[in-house]
Amino acid sequence: MHRHNRETTSPETIEAILSRATWCTVSMVTPQGTPYAVPLNYGHQGTTLYAHCALRGTKLDILRHNPRVWVTVVSNAVFYDGGPDAGACKAGTFFSSLMASGTAQIITAEDERLHAMQCLLQQFGIADRPLGDPMRVTTLIRIDLGDITTKERPAP
């Protein structure tokens, strides 16, 4: 990391970033070696992310071939311009970000599928809603994060 003064490593910071954000970008590599990245809503428990998608599609085909992923999460992103007389170099962004390697797995056990959906609903503050029939037509994915790096430039 170039700007080590912005690096944070505490478990509290990791939890705060994952709790504040509601989406992440998951990057993977196709069997042909082509990069593929997709934004996903997620829920989390600790450093495990849970995402949902349709029953079939490109993302699932890639993950079945190679479950290794790279995840980025950004929260609290706010642009500031530095003022009208400050010049372009004084503009920037306040932010908190997380990057991590991970391993994705399609969840098949019903109890873990229910847990994953509860984590997703909790992330959006609607954990009290009934799940209903959509569970039948939803694939749930668990991503276990490792090698986590976080970086922050908080607003003053």
Side-chain angles (χ1 to χ4, degrees), residues 23-130:
W23 64 274
C24 63
T25 300
V26 177
S27 301
M28 52 202 99
V29 178
T30 69
Q32 298 76 28
T34 305
Y36 185 84
V38 61
L40 295 173
N41 294 118
Y42 72 88
H44 83 287
Q45 181 173 41
T47 57
T48 298
L49 303 186
Y50 296 100
H52 65 95
C53 60
L55 294 177
R56 60 182 178 269
T58 302
K59 168 177 53 271
L60 294 173
D61 293 342
I62 294 169
L63 291 176
R64 285 183 183 105
H65 175 76
N66 180 359
R68 294 178 61 204
V69 298
W70 186 258
V71 176
T72 58
V73 177
V74 177
S75 66
N76 295 343
V78 177
F79 176 77
Y80 64 92
D81 70 7
D85 299 323
C89 290
K90 298 296 181 186
T93 304
F94 300 120
F95 66 93
S96 297
S97 67
L98 177 145
M99 297 184 299
S101 61
T103 303
Q105 181 176 350
I106 297 166
I107 303 170
T108 57
E110 196 59 31
D111 60 336
E112 188 176 4
R113 286 173 48 81
L114 289 170
H115 175 73
M117 280 303 285
Q118 286 299 322
C119 288
L120 280 156
L121 295 174
Q122 184 174 335
Q123 190 83 15
F124 291 92
I126 57 170
D128 59 337
R129 306 263 175 100

